[in-house]
Amino acid sequence: MYPFSDTLLERLRTAERVAVLTGAGVSAESGVPTFRDAQTGLYANHRPEDLASEAGFRADPLLVQGWYRERRQRVQQVAPNPGHHALAQLAEALPYLSIATQNVDGLHQRAGSRVVHELHGSIMDTYCIDCGAREQAYIDKDGIERCPICGGLMRPGVVWFGEMLPEAAWHAAEHEAVNADVYFSIGTSAVVYPAAGLPLIARASGAYVVEINVAPSAIAGELDEVLLGPSGEMLPALLKALTNNHAPTHQRAHAPTN
Ligand code: BJW
Ligand code: ZN
């Protein structure tokens, strides 16, 4: 059993708004590799900018399209883990909980989370880099996926380095951070900006900010609490700690007075 601090439990019991930032670590226990794990990470054998930038894509579209195709297949074969499910259930147990995710795998939505802001897009989405069409690709003689309308290269609907985040998702995530009473940063190394800045924005705006990770992230020293452990175990334990002892608090607060 994880020892959650009285401060965290009390802040959660009285919170009106809880916001969460997630990263690849949340999906690790579903069998989706993280990016920066030295042995198993998606970037273990390549420079990140060769796979996740427009320049890298144009330099070797066959490599990059193949890498995303394999990842897409993997995501379709896996399922949400207890961490995803616990977050969906926490949203039901608390007055309001939103998720800003850097993940492109759609697993939060598949677990039943309803308010999910996808900061880095979706791996299931593809579009033509030249005309933006989302038609079914054809494969050319070199094995490259091309646009049936203009012949351009088909790219994944994710956010690469040097690209702007989707405006609506970013603004929503920033709004949630500014207005959160409690903020969780879960399973992210917190090295990629602007997403990594969200927990810091939340803290500067007065939230109680808690990290859940198997190892301290780049911003761990600037947060209120760091809980070391896998999110697939930590989040169900937190849900249990909260719902076992406190169910009445919010119900009382919102129940009719007569
Ligand atoms: C567990 C666990 C378990 C394991 N339980 N935990 C400010 C300062 C410096 C640089 C910049 C800056 N602002 C912008 C930049 C440039 C750049 C950037 O941040 N670079 C840094 C890397 C130096 N950012 C951008 O370019 C962004 N765009 C932008 O800023 O636009 C404005 C602009 C435009 C033009 C010019 C300049 C500015 C876009 C960033 C897009 C990132 N895209 C990627 C690829 C997405 C597509 C794909 O999926 O392929 O997003 S990169 C990759 O990293 C992916 C991830 O979402 C992202 C974050 O990774 P994440 O999720 O943290 O994974 P890991 O592997 O790093 O960490 C996993 C963690 O889990 C670890 O901590 C483990 O310990 C933990 N863990 N198991 C709990 N069971
Ligand atoms: Zn096209």
Side-chain angles (χ1 to χ4, degrees):
M1 201 59 188
Y2 292 100
F4 299 109
S5 74
D6 290 342
T7 312
L8 171 57
L9 292 176
E10 193 47 37
R11 295 290 288 247
L12 276 174
R13 279 172 195 142
T14 53
E16 288 294 329
R17 297 178 71 91
V18 175
V20 179
L21 170 70
T22 63
V26 163
S27 296
E29 289 155 87
S30 291
V32 181
T34 64
F35 291 90
R36 295 175 180 81
D37 183 276
Q39 273 80 46
T40 61
L42 291 164
Y43 294 154
N45 302 314
H46 293 277
R47 295 187 317 151
E49 54 274 32
D50 288 345
L51 296 166
S53 75
E54 183 175 335
F57 175 59
R58 288 193 185 277
D60 195 343
L62 194 63
L63 171 78
V64 176
Q65 286 178 345
W67 188 66
Y68 279 98
R69 204 162 42 241
E70 276 172 30
R71 287 178 53 200
R72 209 172 282 132
Q73 282 162 4
R74 169 84 72 110
V75 162
Q76 285 172 303
Q77 287 160 3
V78 304
N81 67 56
H84 296 107
H85 288 298
L87 279 177
Q89 287 170 267
L90 269 172
E92 303 297 321
L94 295 166
Y96 180 75
L97 180 146
S98 67
I99 299 174
T101 187
Q102 298 168 85
N103 300 343
V104 297
D105 56 30
L107 289 174
H108 287 301
Q109 294 91 326
R110 283 171 59 191
S113 285
R114 282 194 281 250
V115 186
V116 183
H117 308 297
E118 289 185 314
L119 298 174
H120 292 164
S122 166
I123 200 163
M124 300 314 292
D125 191 20
T126 55
Y127 65 93
C128 170
I129 200 164
D130 290 330
C131 76
R134 287 184 153 75
E135 310 293 316
Q136 181 67 46
Y138 76 89
I139 312 289
D140 76 8
K141 62 176 176 24
D142 299 317
I144 293 172
E145 297 166 30
R146 290 196 177 271
C147 171
I149 313 269
C150 77
L153 296 167
M154 294 300 284
R155 59 159 290 177
V158 301
V159 180
W160 282 331
F161 289 110
E163 295 179 339
M164 302 298 284
L165 275 56
E167 210 175 307
W170 171 251
H171 283 308
E174 208 175 23
H175 176 85
E176 309 284 21
V178 167
N179 291 293
D181 301 306
V182 178
Y183 197 93
F184 288 98
S185 177
I186 310 177
T188 178
S189 57
V191 296
V192 174
Y193 282 80
L198 288 167
L200 308 176
I201 292 172
R203 186 138 200 273
S205 308
Y208 191 72
V209 185
V210 179
E211 172 167 299
I212 297 178
N213 201 310
V214 291
S217 79
I219 58 165
E222 297 174 62
L223 310 181
D224 293 298
E225 270 188 46
V226 178
L227 300 173
L228 291 179
S231 51
E233 295 173 19
M234 192 74 82
L235 287 166
L238 179 62
L239 175 69
K240 199 166 166 214
L242 201 66
T243 46
N244 272 355
N245 312 319
H246 106 288
T249 308
H250 281 299
Q251 281 164 13
R252 267 205 309 272
H254 294 281
T257 45
N258 56 348

